[in-house]
Amino acid sequence: MVPVPFTEKTLTRSLLDVLIRAGLIAILVLFCFEIFQPFRDLMLWSLILAITLYPLQERLKGPLGQKEGRIATLIVLIAIVILMVPIYLLGTSIADSVEHAMSTVKAGGFHIPPPAESVASWPVVGKPLSDVWLQASTDLPDLTAKYIPQIKHASLGLLGKLAGVGMGFLTFIFALIIAGVFMAHGAAGSRSAVQIASRVSGPAKGPQLAELCTATIRAVALGVVGIAFIQMLLVGLGFVFKGVPGAGLLALAVLLLGIMQLPVTLITVPVIAYVIGTEGVSTTTIIFSIYVFIAGLVDNVLKPLLLGRGVDVPMPVVLIGALGGMVTSGIIGLFIGPVVLAVGYQLFWQWVQDQPEGAPPI
């Protein structure tokens, strides 16, 4: 066989072939991404839930048999039943709070106290703020009519946010159902994850990479998102049963603070002070205060049990992931953002620490 001479013409043709193939692959990837993009957040959240709940499915294999599909279906059904009750109570509380506020304003029972004299002496904003505050306390209808466009814009924005929260919870339910399908094929999915990781980083490091991603997802999902959700349910149910105004919105604020790794006492302590200030000291208010205060500190007990386990994710990474996810993808991004950013953080440092053989130690 006569070898083909290596000339500039053959080199140009080979380079052209490579560019054409790369262009066709890029076009195919772009089309696939556009088709998959509407389902991106839903599938990511489903995958996170499946990876997080799969150890529970493995533990139930013995008592409930060896059929993964049946166990996954049972877990999903129980989870939906458990979630629907508090979500319904919180949603009803939000609707009642909005309706009560609207009826109070229409009936004229809403009164704003006049500002203190010291407000006007505040630098820069003191005098304008004091004037607006004084007008609100003496002639609220005229002030409201003056700022109707701004109030309408803010109200529409608030309604949009509340609708986004409802859609987020609905997406969560669908994601939980899809996660059940993933868990029903858990063994095959685990093998596929190892194969993909091995194809990316090599057969020697592929299983370690897949294990690192799995451990990070479970640690952040349980130790950050899971604990924040538990806190929201515990504190929110206390607010609902006590009849605190705006209990649903306060519960959502508890969820946000929990995911951002900020103390929930920023909300529970003012609510306790409000309840005691309006209802006085009694057995009911004391029990409510103790319960809500302990529920706001439950993360200090659960974090050592659920967070970590060999995975160290700094708080700023979780905070940036929560805020960035909420900005880009709404309420569902609040859950997905910390998990995805934590996985990327762990993979980056794994790559940094993976020095090539023969390299001098740093």
Side-chain angles (χ1 to χ4, degrees):
M1 183 176 181
V2 180
V4 179
F6 186 77
T7 62
E8 184 178 353
K9 185 176 180 180
T10 57
L11 178 61
T12 303
R13 171 167 290 184
S14 300
L15 180 60
L16 183 61
D17 290 343
V18 171
L19 292 176
I20 291 175
R21 292 173 184 173
L24 292 176
I25 293 174
I27 292 173
L28 179 61
V29 169
L30 288 176
F31 272 112
C32 292
F33 178 76
E34 289 183 359
I35 295 172
F36 181 74
Q37 187 178 9
F39 307 97
R40 181 195 59 185
D41 293 341
L42 177 63
M43 299 305 292
L44 275 176
W45 193 219
S46 302
L47 186 61
I48 291 170
L49 289 174
I51 294 174
T52 305
L53 296 176
Y54 190 70
L56 177 61
Q57 177 177 306
E58 290 293 309
R59 292 181 183 179
L60 294 177
K61 270 188 177 181
L64 300 180
Q66 298 295 324
K67 292 187 176 181
E68 292 187 339
R70 182 181 302 173
I71 300 174
T73 303
L74 181 62
I75 292 175
V76 170
L77 290 177
I78 293 176
I80 291 176
V81 171
I82 293 175
L83 288 174
M84 289 307 295
V85 175
I87 288 175
Y88 171 77
L89 292 176
L90 293 177
T92 305
S93 174
I94 293 175
D96 291 342
S97 300
V98 174
E99 183 179 357
H100 177 71
M102 293 178 63
S103 60
T104 302
V105 172
K106 289 180 179 179
F110 183 71
H111 178 68
I112 299 176
E117 295 181 359
S118 58
V119 175
S121 61
W122 291 357
V124 183
V125 298
K127 189 63 171 63
L129 178 61
S130 178
D131 294 339
V132 174
W133 192 343
L134 182 61
Q135 185 179 0
S137 63
T138 57
D139 194 1
L140 184 60
D142 288 347
L143 182 65
T144 304
K146 181 180 179 181
Y147 292 101
I148 278 181
Q150 291 84 351
I151 296 174
K152 182 179 180 181
H153 180 73
S155 302
L156 292 176
L158 179 61
L159 291 176
K161 294 296 182 183
L162 293 177
V165 170
M167 183 59 66
F169 281 122
L170 186 62
T171 304
F172 181 82
I173 298 298
F174 279 112
L176 193 58
I177 296 173
I178 298 174
V181 177
F182 288 161
M183 289 190 296
H185 302 84
S190 178
R191 288 194 300 268
S192 300
V194 173
Q195 290 175 353
I196 295 172
S198 300
R199 188 68 180 87
V200 172
S201 60
K205 299 177 183 178
Q208 298 177 3
L209 182 64
E211 184 178 356
L212 176 65
C213 294
T214 302
T216 304
I217 290 173
R218 286 174 181 165
V220 177
L222 287 174
V224 176
V225 180
I227 292 176
F229 199 78
I230 292 173
Q231 275 190 302
M232 182 198 72
L233 294 181
L234 294 177
V235 176
L237 289 177
F239 290 169
V240 169
F241 287 122
K242 190 64 182 72
V244 176
L249 296 176
L250 292 173
L252 292 177
V254 168
L255 176 65
L256 179 62
L257 290 180
I259 294 179
M260 293 169 59
Q261 301 293 284
L262 296 176
V264 179
T265 51
L266 294 174
I267 294 178
T268 57
V269 171
V271 170
I272 291 173
Y274 168 80
V275 171
I276 294 178
T278 54
E279 300 185 11
V281 179
S282 62
T283 304
T284 305
T285 56
I286 291 175
I287 294 175
F288 167 78
S289 302
I290 294 175
Y291 167 77
V292 169
F293 186 76
I294 294 176
L297 299 176
V298 73
D299 59 325
N300 297 312
V301 178
L302 295 178
K303 279 181 181 177
L305 300 176
L306 301 178
L307 185 59
R309 297 184 179 181
V311 178
D312 184 18
V313 180
M315 189 190 73
V317 174
V318 177
L319 176 60
I320 294 173
L323 295 177
M326 185 173 61
V327 170
T328 56
S329 303
I331 187 67
I332 197 68
L334 186 65
F335 300 95
I336 298 176
V339 180
V340 174
L341 196 61
V343 172
Y345 172 85
Q346 289 290 340
L347 292 178
F348 172 75
W349 279 108
Q350 181 76 10
W351 172 76
V352 170
Q353 296 170 1
D354 187 14
Q355 298 292 331
E357 296 182 1
I362 299 176

